[in-house]
Amino acid sequence: MDEIINYLQLSKKERRHLPAQLSAVGFCPARGGYLALRRALERSRPGMLPQFLLVRRSGVLIGYLFLIAEQENTSRVFPWWAVDNADELPLSTSLALLQQGEALCRDCGAHQLAQRMALQAQRHRQGIGRRPDARCR
C-alpha cells in the first residue's frame, strides 16, 4: 500500500536523503541545485504554503506533490503554483494524493490552488492527463 506523508513528518536523516530520492523519480529543480532545493523544502511550515507531500511504497519514494503558492514565480526553485508526478501513479494513489493536496490547500487558505487540485483529480478520474495504470509506478 502506498503511503502519503508531509515533508514536515520526515526525520532529519530522511530530509537529507530526499533530494537524491526526488532525482531518482525524475524531479529536477527549475533553478539552482540540490542545495537550493533543500533550502526551499525547509521553508515549509504548518498551516501555510509551501507544503510538500510525498508518496512512498515500501519506504521508497515514488511520488510527490509540491504545493507552492497561488501565483507563479514566488520561488526561483519552484516557479509554479504546484508540481507533481500524480500522472505517473496508479489512479487510486493519484486521487488520494490530489485529495490530500486539496485539503491541505484549503487548510492553508489557498482556495484557488485547492480548486486546481480538485480539477486535476476530476480529469484523472476521466483518464485525462495520466498514464494507464499498467504503465504507472
Side-chain angles (χ1 to χ4, degrees), residues 81-101:
W81 287 51
V83 64
D84 63 72
N85 73 336
D87 61 317
E88 299 176 5
L89 303 173
L91 182 59
S92 60
T93 302
S94 171
L95 293 177
L97 178 61
L98 293 170
Q99 288 167 350
Q100 193 166 335

Side-chain angles (χ1 to χ4, degrees), residues 68-76 78-81:
I68 310 305
E70 286 206 309
Q71 62 182 16
E72 294 179 4
N73 297 319
T74 60
S75 168
R76 296 181 118 189
F78 308 116
W80 321 280
W81 287 51

Side-chain angles (χ1 to χ4, degrees), residues 30-96:
R31 184 176 177 123
Y34 287 98
L35 183 57
L37 173 63
R38 187 172 288 130
R39 281 190 212 122
L41 292 168
E42 287 299 321
R43 290 189 184 117
S44 182
R45 300 287 178 264
M48 59 189 338
L49 295 179
Q51 291 289 319
F52 306 101
L53 296 177
L54 307 164
V55 182
R56 296 191 293 197
R57 182 180 295 144
S58 303
V60 176
L61 184 74
I62 63 164
Y64 57 89
L65 171 58
F66 294 171
L67 304 165
I68 310 305
E70 286 206 309
Q71 62 182 16
E72 294 179 4
N73 297 319
T74 60
S75 168
R76 296 181 118 189
V77 178
F78 308 116
W80 321 280
W81 287 51
V83 64
D84 63 72
N85 73 336
D87 61 317
E88 299 176 5
L89 303 173
L91 182 59
S92 60
T93 302
S94 171
L95 293 177

